[in-house]
Amino acid sequence: MKKKVNSNRVILSIVFLVLGFMIAFSFRVTQDEGDKGQGLTDRQWEKHLSLRDDLIEQEEKNRELQKELNAKQEKVREIEASLSKEAQVFFNMAEDAEKYRMFLGKVEVSGKGVKVTLADGEYDPDEENINNYLVHEHHVFKVINELYISGAAAIAVNGQRISHNSYILCTGPVITVDGYQHSAPFEITAIGDPDVLSSALNITGGVKDQLVNDQIVFSLEKREILKWIRFWGNDDEHFFQNSIAV
């Protein structure tokens, strides 16, 4: 019984010791926090609050500026997209203008193509009408029209460029192109896809067969390079093109 009482006393002593330690520790912590709070003067505390308010205000301004920056960036993207569309429109217009200049015969042109040669048929003493085996303007027109229909970008007759308002007349054994006379054989050069142009002319019952039936000597060659360089005629109203075929 005595041992049991002593054991209880030991346990109670330990409990009271731990409880006292906890109370002392709690008091010390509370005292330290109070000392820290008392270490700030009123001026320092006001400055601390002022700096905190300034920081909050600056963060709000940053958010507003970020929103404004995002809006301006979006506006710039819209302007860039609009300018891109306008640039494409201007590019297409310039491309079309260059194409029209080419069709009008105002610029130099070069590229692959074909050369068609039309020559008078062999003299036949039994033929009463010599015109039956001579090349006439309608023969040249047939070739030119077929070439344009087949996609030719530019055409010349004996090196003279054909433009949008060109005219071809027959004057006896010669033809007149825009006021300039040319004698046979007539070389019609065209810039375009050589395979397409030659196929169009050689189609059965097409231009070649019709000319051969009219006793015209017809020959066709594909050319890798055709280059026409512009120079002016004496009347400054028409111009020719030197035709260089390789």
Side-chain angles (χ1 to χ4, degrees):
M1 185 70 178
K2 187 176 180 179
K3 290 182 179 180
K4 186 175 182 181
V5 171
N6 290 334
S7 177
N8 291 336
R9 287 179 180 176
V10 172
I11 294 173
L12 289 174
S13 296
I14 294 173
V15 171
F16 285 134
L17 179 61
V18 173
L19 182 60
F21 177 78
M22 292 176 63
I23 294 173
F25 180 77
S26 177
F27 176 77
R28 183 62 180 174
V29 171
T30 304
Q31 187 177 19
D32 290 343
E33 290 180 354
D35 292 342
K36 290 181 180 179
Q38 293 175 358
L40 292 176
T41 63
D42 292 342
R43 180 175 297 179
Q44 290 174 332
W45 184 252
E46 290 177 358
K47 185 176 182 180
H48 175 74
L49 293 177
S50 177
L51 290 174
R52 187 181 64 179
D53 292 340
D54 290 344
L55 179 60
I56 294 173
E57 183 180 355
Q58 191 62 45
E59 289 177 347
E60 184 64 29
K61 287 182 178 180
N62 288 343
R63 283 192 291 270
E64 294 298 327
L65 290 173
Q66 186 62 46
K67 291 180 181 178
E68 185 177 350
L69 177 61
N70 293 339
K72 290 186 180 297
Q73 288 177 338
E74 183 63 27
K75 187 66 175 178
V76 169
R77 282 192 288 269
E78 292 177 0
I79 293 174
E80 288 176 345
S82 176
L83 291 176
S84 176
K85 292 180 180 178
E86 290 182 6
Q88 185 62 43
V89 170
F90 291 137
F91 175 80
N92 293 339
M93 291 175 64
E95 201 173 46
D96 290 341
E98 188 67 14
K99 186 191 302 180
Y100 295 145
R101 290 191 191 99
M102 181 180 66
F103 285 130
L104 293 174
K106 300 296 184 181
V107 295
E108 299 176 7
V109 290
S110 62
K112 296 181 179 181
V114 297
K115 182 179 78 169
V116 178
T117 303
L118 303 182
D120 296 335
E122 294 184 6
Y123 172 72
D124 185 358
D126 296 330
E127 181 63 55
E128 297 181 0
N129 190 352
I130 190 175
N131 288 322
N132 289 338
Y133 54 84
L134 295 181
V135 179
H136 298 287
E137 81 280 6
H138 64 272
H139 297 133
V140 177
F141 268 125
K142 282 184 178 181
V143 176
I144 292 175
N145 290 336
E146 187 64 33
L147 290 171
Y148 273 132
I149 292 171
S150 302
I155 298 176
V157 176
N158 285 6
Q160 182 176 346
R161 181 77 172 273
I162 300 299
S163 64
H164 68 293
N165 58 351
S166 292
Y167 62 90
I168 301 176
L169 300 176
C170 189
T171 310
V174 301
I175 64 172
T176 301
V177 180
D178 297 338
Y180 295 90
Q181 290 186 343
H182 300 275
S183 58
F186 303 106
E187 292 184 352
I188 304 170
T189 50
I191 291 178
D193 188 323
D195 294 330
V196 174
L197 298 179
S198 59
S199 297
L201 293 172
N202 283 320
I203 191 171
T204 303
V207 172
K208 177 183 177 180
D209 289 347
Q210 295 172 22
L211 295 177
V212 171
N213 289 337
D214 287 345
Q215 302 183 56
I216 303 301
V217 179
F218 179 98
S219 65
L220 172 64
E221 302 175 50
K222 295 180 181 179
R223 293 301 179 96
E224 286 299 316
I225 300 176
L226 288 170
K227 184 176 181 181
W228 297 332
I229 305 172
R230 169 176 148 176
F231 66 92
W232 291 95
N234 295 329
D235 57 4
D236 288 338
E237 292 181 358
H238 303 89
F239 58 87
F240 294 89
Q241 303 284 343
N242 285 335
S243 181
I244 305 172
V246 179

